[in-house]
Amino acid sequence: NAGVTQTPKFQVLKTGQSMTLQCAQDMNHEYMSWYRQDPGMGLRLIHYSVGAGITDQGEVPNGYNVSRSTTEDFPLRLLSAAPSQTSVYFCASRGPGLNEKLFFGSGTQLSVL
Amino acid sequence: AQKITQTQPGMFVQEKEAVTLDCTYDTSDPSYGLFWYKQPSSGEMIFLIYQGSYDQQNATEGRYSLNFQKARKSANLVISASQLGDSAMYFCAMREAYNQGGKLIFGQGTELSVKP
């Protein structure tokens, strides 16, 4: 059982470039989310989705786009990368109950030069 | 809006001793869940323990227990008999049942170092 698969693991971009971080889960979870992790800031929610076709903004959505065309996939798009987007990105999913834990992907280390 | 605060950026503990990691929260939702995650230097996020706001007893999972004080809005993680492998970042997180779309919001984290 793969769980949450996140690619790539590492990426270096130049300012202004665009890219998509891929996230897929095989647990049939309706809820999926993207976080960024910066030193001293914990994990901050970028965008989340409660089901196919439904997305909403988190705490730090600026500069990022998402879509949810299927239950399994939740890609994160950087339209024009900026150095401030250098971070570690985590995708996560969970089941519907209040006590359902988040299952995390392995993370993407992104550097924007 | 929900809020999670971890006031200890770093902690040291001697191997085999117990340690308490602090977490306070703020919410207007009467139903919520509290989570603790561990992040070792490898970077993976590992779920440790869960406490529901209506749970009558403090949650325990092996060497981990959650000291839940609802009136004080605190959910401190207690690790008993610390081991060298416990050295990691620890994050407290909260999810409200009815508000905020079920988002899980994290605290800033506490870096725990276990000394031999």
Side-chain angles (χ1 to χ4, degrees):
Chain A
N1 215 355
V4 179
T5 302
Q6 194 178 331
T7 57
K9 289 190 181 298
F10 302 94
Q11 184 71 49
V12 178
L13 293 177
K14 294 182 180 179
T15 297
Q17 287 185 318
S18 63
M19 79 157 296
T20 299
L21 278 62
Q22 301 292 343
C23 178
Q25 52 89 12
D26 61 0
M27 296 171 281
N28 203 33
H29 288 163
E30 294 292 336
Y31 184 94
M32 296 185 73
S33 53
W34 277 101
Y35 291 87
R36 61 176 288 173
Q37 182 178 15
D38 303 290
M41 305 288 284
L43 279 77
R44 293 182 293 169
L45 184 65
I46 305 171
H47 285 285
Y48 66 102
S49 170
V50 297
I54 306 169
T55 64
D56 205 348
Q57 297 180 351
E59 303 168 78
V60 287
N62 292 341
Y64 307 95
N65 276 0
V66 292
S67 60
R68 185 93 179 270
S69 57
T70 66
T71 299
E72 293 78 20
D73 301 300
F74 191 44
L76 179 71
R77 281 181 284 276
L78 283 71
L79 299 179
S80 179
S84 61
Q85 293 178 305
T86 293
S87 188
V88 178
Y89 292 84
F90 285 97
C91 179
S93 73
R94 65 165 174 84
L98 179 61
N99 63 342
E100 296 278 353
K101 65 181 180 182
L102 272 181
F103 290 83
F104 283 87
S106 56
T108 297
Q109 175 81 58
L110 175 68
S111 295
V112 183
L113 307 177
Chain B
Q2 61 188 66
K3 185 177 179 181
I4 288 279
T5 303
Q6 294 178 255
T7 57
Q8 306 155 311
M11 291 275 290
F12 288 91
V13 65
Q14 202 70 37
E15 191 179 10
K16 300 181 184 177
E17 291 185 348
V19 63
T20 297
L21 307 183
D22 294 341
C23 173
T24 59
Y25 60 91
D26 191 20
T27 178
S28 59
D29 195 328
S31 181
Y32 51 89
L34 296 156
F35 300 76
W36 277 91
Y37 282 82
K38 172 184 178 181
Q39 186 181 42
S41 58
S42 58
E44 64 193 297
M45 294 292 290
I46 302 169
F47 167 75
L48 295 178
I49 197 166
Y50 167 82
Q51 178 84 45
S53 60
Y54 290 120
D55 292 344
Q56 294 296 313
Q57 294 186 337
N58 288 343
T60 61
E61 290 286 349
R63 293 186 300 110
Y64 304 108
S65 61
L66 204 152
N67 184 1
F68 181 47
Q69 298 187 47
K70 195 170 182 177
R72 294 186 176 186
K73 293 188 175 179
S74 73
N76 299 338
L77 178 70
V78 180
I79 305 175
S80 63
S82 297
Q83 302 172 356
L84 296 178
D86 294 334
S87 293
M89 283 290 292
Y90 290 81
F91 293 99
C92 180
M94 179 177 70
R95 179 164 69 239
E96 297 173 327
Y98 302 114
N99 299 328
Q100 305 295 319
K103 298 178 292 188
L104 191 65
I105 301 300
F106 286 81
Q108 306 93 316
T110 295
E111 184 172 10
L112 178 66
S113 298
V114 181
K115 299 188 289 185

